[in-house]
């Protein structure tokens, strides 16, 4: 099941974040995201347990996927894919024609994951993360349901 983030989810989200990224978002960053973008933050629940989350927002006609992670114990079970597809559906309904994201160049798992979902590696953003370049990946959303 995928549902909207609730403040009581914060500790679980931060635990997953810390086990997923070398430079995790702080608790404050999640609180700020929820505040600024309350309709863009969703969590995946299985057997009552929060096992993943996604944050995305609409920027003009483009969706921007800001954060995504799945509890390491529940990876390779389709949870990340379900979160992205859910987000794509939502953004498309809001008028997005494309979705983009940035990913660390060293994050080969995420690059393979997004490629499997139909994202294309568009360009390199030099020193996006200060110490590391990012790859900008995009996916066109028009006509997906035709
Ligand atoms: C990237 C991430 C969200 C993927 O979540 P997931 O639930 O494991 O992904 P799914 O099970 O939906 O995988 C869908 C497809 O992506 C590809 N994929 C996923 N993980 C992969 C891996 N480790 N190696 C190669 N391909 C992979 C596969 O094609 C997979 O389909 P398959 O399992 O049928 O082969 C998860 O690995 C994660 O949380 N990573 C750490 C955080 C992160 O890097 N987030 C993205 C930052 S931009």
């Amino acid at each position: 099941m995928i549902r909207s983030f609730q403040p009581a989810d914060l500790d679980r989200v931060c635990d997953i974040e810390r086990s997923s990224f070398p430079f995790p978002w702080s608790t404050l960053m999640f609180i700020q995201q929820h505040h600024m973008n309350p309709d863009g933050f969703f969590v995946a629940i299985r057997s009552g347990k929060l096992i993943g989350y996604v944050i995305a927002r609409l920027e003009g006609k483009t969706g921007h996927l800001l954060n995504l992670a799945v509890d390491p114990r529940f990876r390779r079970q389709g949870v990340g894919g379900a979160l992205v597809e859910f987000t794509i559906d939502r953004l498309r309904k809001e008028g997005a024609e494309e979705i983009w994201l940035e990913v660390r160049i060293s994050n080969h798992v995420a690059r393979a994951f997004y490629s499997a979902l139909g994202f294309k590696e568009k360009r390199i953003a030099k020193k996006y993360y200060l110490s590391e370049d990012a790859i900008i990946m995009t996916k066109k959303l028009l006509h997906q349901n035709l």
Side-chain angles (χ1 to χ4, degrees):
M1 177 187 72
I2 295 175
R3 64 156 171 79
S4 292
F5 170 87
Q6 299 164 359
D9 299 328
L10 195 57
D11 286 350
R12 268 297 289 155
V13 166
C14 290
D15 281 351
I16 296 173
E17 173 81 7
R18 281 191 291 269
S19 59
S20 297
F21 294 105
F23 301 96
W25 282 19
S26 65
T27 304
L28 185 61
M29 286 167 83
F30 284 104
I31 293 170
Q32 285 171 337
Q33 274 301 323
H34 184 232
H35 189 67
M36 290 185 301
N37 181 25
D39 300 327
F41 192 167
F42 292 88
V43 296
I45 308 287
R46 185 179 290 171
S47 305
K49 190 176 170 66
L50 195 160
I51 58 172
Y53 55 88
V54 64
I55 303 176
R57 67 170 176 235
L58 191 63
E59 298 169 350
K61 294 246 175 227
T62 307
H64 185 185
L65 205 158
L66 296 159
N67 200 344
L68 168 75
V70 173
D71 182 325
R73 293 166 295 179
F74 293 88
R75 289 184 189 160
R76 275 331 258 279
Q77 298 174 28
V79 179
L83 283 165
V84 172
E85 293 302 339
F86 179 91
T87 294
I88 284 177
D89 274 0
R90 185 181 65 78
L91 290 168
R92 193 191 284 123
K93 282 178 193 140
E94 290 177 5
E97 296 176 356
E98 190 176 42
I99 182 165
W100 74 281
L101 58 93
E102 62 280 339
V103 56
R104 281 178 187 272
I105 209 157
S106 62
N107 192 347
H108 297 286
V109 166
R111 290 171 63 184
F113 166 76
Y114 289 119
S115 296
L117 293 177
F119 285 77
K120 305 280 180 236
E121 298 198 346
K122 193 96 166 180
R123 63 181 177 86
I124 292 177
K126 284 277 176 200
K127 299 283 176 250
Y128 186 91
Y129 297 103
L130 300 181
S131 60
E132 190 176 348
D133 298 344
I135 303 269
I136 307 299
M137 299 186 74
T138 63
K139 180 177 163 96
K140 295 258 182 255
L141 304 187
L142 284 182
H143 312 305
Q144 294 283 311
N145 281 336
L146 297 182

